Amino acid sequence: MSFRALGLDTNVLRAVDAAGYTEPTPIQTAAIPLILAGHDVIGIAQTGTGKTAAFVLPILAKLAALIGAGQKRGIRVLVVAPTRELVVQIEENVRAYGRYMSVRMATVYGGVGEHPQIQALRSGVDIVVATPGRLLDLMGRKNGDFSGIQFLVLDEADRMLDMGFLPDIRRIVKALPTKRQTLLFSASLSRDIEQVTREFQHAPKIVQIGKRANPAETVTQFVYEVPKHLKASLLLHLLKEPQMNMVLIFVRMKHAADHLADHLDHKGIRTATIHSNRSQSQRLRALKDFKSGAVRVLVATDIAARGIDVDGISHVVNYDFPMHSEDYVHRIGRTGRAHAVGDAISFVTAADYGALRALERFIGRGIVRKRAEGFDYQGAVAQPGDGDERPYRSKQLSPAGHGHSGHSGGSGHKQHRGQGGGHQGTKARSRWGR
Ligand code: AMP
């Protein structure tokens, strides 16, 4: 199957050529003709399958036809996505695939000044790519004319529901014309998603790629069983492997992301972090440094990592095992993208066995247990990042003055801190000052 056979317009085909794609991915082959034919489409596909191009390419082709037919310019396309990172990534896709057309686009998301976004909306654009909160905010104050919308895309709809955006999306969609083409993409088809599609779509066609919620086949998955206090040493041990040249590490908590990044930096491994306490420009900078190879390791939390689209990630490390199986699937989808192969490594402590079993049921197969060669499992040198976590948690969970955890947590905490060295006390993070 070729892109040409899918019925795309010449300028879009040129851009696909320039992107170096030789053949459409399965989601593209299935979705593009349906979208070109004017159907509402539900696309069940994970990140890494080429789903962004699956909606951007046909929408651009249709937009080119409308513009070519002399239709009055105005906002025709609205794409709503859960995170700023994803919005930026979709924007990059639109720019790449629209490079031989005269489409104008605005992006709208929180965490940055709204003035340039308002200006952009007023200046006359064809496409708006937005997160729900800021978009609703700006629409509520009558910025931009959305009465001419012909295409609505809800990307990563499952994640938007998880993040509680449904009420915002309802209000946004209410303000749009009912006669429009609506495309919805989601990693899985849950009852909630079905409800949303009934609400927002008309006679949608479903396109489902691969088994539901199954991690990409190209990713090799391993589990390392490791006592919690040895996780940081094990990570350092594994990072000695030269093949681990572009490593995305997931942790559960923001503060743990900073601790771990500090620790790795301290050990001579240049590391960036991405989590919701970082400003938008810091996040973009982190992604840029990671993409360019200026840093070899990116430490991220789940929410912040949504929409990270970086080619060539060699390894995903679940430093903290994900609490939800869906998060695991999303995380490891960051490697093995398109036609590459990648490794997904998960650290599992005694507390994670339940979640690991649930995950294996969820993905319908067992994950290979590995032991790290040459790693001293007995060498119980406590690592700062790890040692800090346990006492924090027990402190938070137990009522004030609870004898047991208060005692053991307190002493363990101090001890690990002491061994962690002074660098943790230095709060200024020089990596952003570069
Ligand atoms: P996505 O699923 O949209 O996040 O896309 C995953 C990656 O696949 C992106 O880096 C795209 O640039 C790339 N990609 C999209 N379509 C193709 C294709 N037909 N051939 C090769 N790579 C592609």
Side-chain angles (χ1 to χ4, degrees):
M1 177 59 88
S2 72
F3 276 103
R4 193 163 300 276
L6 297 177
L8 292 165
D9 142 296
T10 342
N11 285 329
V12 174
L13 288 174
R14 275 176 70 201
V16 165
D17 245 12
Y21 305 159
T22 47
E23 53 178 339
T25 66
I27 183 85
Q28 291 162 3
T29 306
I32 290 174
L34 290 171
I35 298 172
L36 287 175
H39 293 288
D40 280 7
V41 169
I42 304 172
I44 303 299
Q46 291 151 29
T47 312
T49 53
K51 71 178 170 62
T52 315
F55 64 83
V56 172
L57 297 176
I59 285 178
L60 285 175
K62 297 196 87 167
L63 197 59
L66 292 175
I67 295 172
Q71 203 185 71
K72 198 168 121 284
R73 300 295 281 258
I75 307 172
R76 299 270 165 263
V77 183
L78 175 62
V79 181
V80 185
T83 62
R84 315 169 211 188
E85 284 77 16
L86 191 55
V87 166
V88 170
Q89 182 192 318
I90 295 167
E91 176 194 22
E92 284 170 3
N93 275 261
V94 174
R95 291 209 192 283
Y97 306 139
R99 63 200 289 177
Y100 300 112
M101 301 169 49
S102 67
V103 284
R104 287 167 300 184
M105 170 174 46
T107 52
V108 169
Y109 46 79
V112 293
E114 59 177 32
H115 192 66
Q117 299 178 353
I118 291 174
Q119 291 289 92
L121 286 177
R122 288 187 183 156
S123 71
V125 290
D126 307 290
I127 303 178
V128 174
V129 186
T131 53
R134 174 64 67 89
L135 175 67
L136 187 62
D137 188 16
L138 297 192
M139 281 173 90
R141 286 182 279 133
K142 303 271 177 265
N143 291 295
D145 175 7
F146 291 84
S147 66
I149 291 285
Q150 288 172 326
F151 306 94
L152 168 67
V153 180
L154 301 172
D155 195 16
E156 303 209 346
D158 48 344
R159 194 43 65 135
M160 292 204 279
L161 296 194
D162 288 350
M163 291 167 76
F165 280 137
L166 186 55
D168 284 2
I169 294 171
R170 279 207 176 100
R171 286 161 67 195
I172 292 165
V173 177
K174 256 206 188 99
L176 306 179
T178 47
K179 192 172 170 308
R180 55 161 203 267
Q181 190 174 353
T182 305
L183 314 173
L184 177 144
F185 288 82
S186 169
S188 60
L189 189 59
S190 63
R191 205 165 294 162
D192 288 345
I193 289 291
E194 282 176 31
Q195 170 58 34
V196 166
T197 67
R198 269 197 294 277
E199 227 176 287
F200 299 140
Q201 294 188 293
H202 174 69
K205 305 271 185 207
I206 298 190
V207 173
Q208 189 156 359
I209 296 307
K211 272 185 240 123
R212 189 179 141 179
N214 237 16
E217 297 292 319
T218 50
V219 180
T220 319
Q221 304 167 56
F222 299 110
V223 160
Y224 286 97
E225 291 169 327
V226 58
K228 193 167 187 166
H229 69 282
L230 292 182
K231 286 207 288 189
S233 340
L234 177 60
L235 178 64
L236 281 167
H237 178 80
L238 295 175
L239 285 171
K240 286 183 195 150
E241 285 289 326
Q243 301 98 289
M244 294 192 75
N245 54 23
M246 201 174 179
V247 184
L248 178 59
I249 299 179
F250 283 98
V251 296
R252 219 169 273 158
M253 318 281 268
K254 293 173 227 177
H255 74 77
D258 286 335
H259 276 183
L260 185 60
D262 280 340
H263 182 60
L264 293 176
D265 265 353
H266 190 64
K267 296 284 181 185
I269 295 171
R270 298 185 76 190
T271 303
T273 57
I274 188 163
H275 60 66
S276 54
N277 278 6
R278 294 232 161 272
S279 72
Q280 179 63 6
S281 62
Q282 286 175 324
R283 294 194 212 182
L284 292 175
R285 175 64 189 260
L287 271 181
K288 200 167 148 251
D289 286 349
F290 188 52
K291 280 185 187 178
S292 72
V295 301
R296 173 182 163 208
V297 174
L298 180 65
V299 182
T301 56
D302 285 293
I303 297 281
R306 294 296 302 177
I308 290 183
D309 176 27
V310 181
D311 284 332
I313 291 179
S314 65
H315 294 77
V316 167
V317 177
N318 293 308
Y319 186 83
D320 291 329
F321 199 77
M323 282 192 277
H324 304 291
S325 302
E326 290 89 347
D327 287 335
Y328 178 89
V329 173
H330 280 293
R331 288 176 176 192
I332 78 161
R334 308 288 137 183
T335 183
R337 298 166 75 79
H339 304 296
V341 289
D343 280 10
I345 292 168
S346 301
F347 289 180
V348 171
T349 68
D352 302 317
Y353 288 142
L356 174 61
R357 273 194 298 276
L359 171 69
E360 291 182 323
R361 271 197 303 277
F362 183 77
I363 61 174
R365 62 166 138 151
I367 303 176
V368 177
R369 281 21 171 204
K370 256 195 173 182
R371 266 182 91 76
E373 261 175 60
F375 178 66
D376 180 10
Y377 280 89
Q378 306 307 321
V381 181
Q383 297 298 328
D386 281 327
D388 282 345
E389 249 183 87
R390 181 173 24 200
Y392 275 143
R393 181 132 356 120
S394 57
K395 258 188 199 160
Q396 280 164 2
L397 293 181
S398 12
H402 188 288
H404 173 69
S405 80
H407 173 71
S408 67
S411 61
H413 186 61
K414 281 207 186 75
Q415 202 176 3
H416 293 318
R417 276 271 189 208
Q419 289 182 0
H423 75 281
Q424 284 190 23
T426 320
K427 282 291 158 219
R429 294 177 56 80
S430 57
R431 101 187 76 236
W432 300 111
R434 268 189 275 125

